[in-house]
Amino acid sequence: MTGPGTGCDAARVFLLSGHALIRQALSELLSDEGFDVVGEADRIASALGRVSELAPDVALVENRLPDGTAIEACRALRGTAPRTRCVILTTYEEHKALRSLVLSGAAGFVLHSARAAGLPEAIRRAATGAELHSSDAARAARSALAAEAVLGATALENTILALILHGRTNVQICQELGLQQGALAGHLSSLLAKLGYRPTPTATGAAAPALTRPPRGWS
């Protein structure tokens, strides 16, 4: 086996989307383009074990999922399958998508509206280890996140954000702050809500773990 991107082996792709029709369309598109779609899941919780077992080259992740966000999904997948590179399929405008890229540690993102045209090439590049967006763009997004106060964020959430922006994984953050994974998930969920990536937690649900079902109608 010579690896993806050499012309001898197809890149192996895992699909993570909460919509069966989208997964079907993506599977057909990528299969037609010569990719090996090795598996799929409709939520983060069910994807983690499968991606770890299958070890695909690329996980294609929708930006909103039934139990979290692409940011949470990619960060979790980096912990369970560090060799799998994530590409986010997003409906966000580019400014917000770039910030999600920085927060997630993904290889890049593709806008939903351009998936048929740009997605196959993006996955090919990600599978070979390339970053899909310029380092200058990612650096600017990281600097903007570091410079702006997050409205309502706690001191711990600001510390978690700073560690994320310095490239720490979830495991490293837990080790540095003495947190359990479940506790970090709750703080990350709350932080992402304040950054505009999740629904605002209610008073009773503010400390809920990241892998929870969002309110009905969230899209």
Side-chain angles (χ1 to χ4, degrees):
M1 183 171 179
T2 56
T6 64
C8 297
D9 291 298
R12 303 171 70 253
V13 182
F14 188 93
L15 305 177
L16 177 50
S17 166
H19 302 89
L21 290 179
I22 290 178
R23 294 197 305 274
Q24 180 180 348
L26 288 170
S27 181
E28 292 173 356
L29 169 66
L30 296 177
S31 295
D32 288 346
E33 289 285 338
F35 295 97
D36 182 9
V37 180
V38 296
E40 62 181 57
D42 64 352
R43 58 191 60 226
I44 303 170
S46 55
L48 296 179
R50 297 210 64 211
V51 172
S52 179
E53 176 186 356
L54 294 167
D57 301 303
V58 175
L60 182 61
V61 184
E62 270 208 298
N63 65 314
R64 291 185 177 111
L65 297 157
D67 57 346
T69 65
I71 296 169
E72 291 156 298
C74 294
R75 294 191 63 81
L77 288 170
R78 288 172 65 197
T80 58
R83 295 188 179 183
T84 295
R85 309 198 77 213
C86 291
V87 174
I88 299 173
L89 187 60
T90 183
T91 56
Y92 294 139
E93 45 83 27
E94 189 158 351
H95 169 77
K96 191 171 184 179
L98 270 170
R99 292 186 175 207
S100 71
L101 175 67
V102 168
L103 292 166
S104 67
F109 66 84
V110 175
L111 300 179
H112 232 300
S113 58
R115 73 184 188 204
L119 184 58
E121 180 59 24
I123 292 178
R124 289 188 185 98
R125 290 179 59 202
T128 62
E131 300 296 329
L132 305 188
H133 301 279
S134 74
S135 57
D136 288 343
R139 191 178 302 113
R142 186 176 292 107
S143 297
L145 279 166
E148 296 175 8
V150 180
L151 186 62
T154 66
L156 181 54
E157 288 166 358
N158 279 318
T159 299
I160 290 170
L161 176 59
L163 290 172
I164 287 173
L165 297 179
H166 279 87
R168 302 292 199 277
T169 65
N170 285 359
V171 171
Q172 290 170 330
I173 292 173
C174 285
Q175 291 172 342
E176 291 192 36
L177 299 181
L179 294 173
Q180 296 296 317
Q181 286 284 348
L184 175 60
H187 292 302
L188 181 59
S189 173
S190 177
L191 175 63
L192 292 177
K194 293 165 186 175
L195 287 168
Y197 289 98
R198 286 181 63 95
T200 302
T202 64
T204 57
L211 303 187
T212 56
R213 182 182 294 277
R216 186 182 298 276
W218 183 41
S219 61

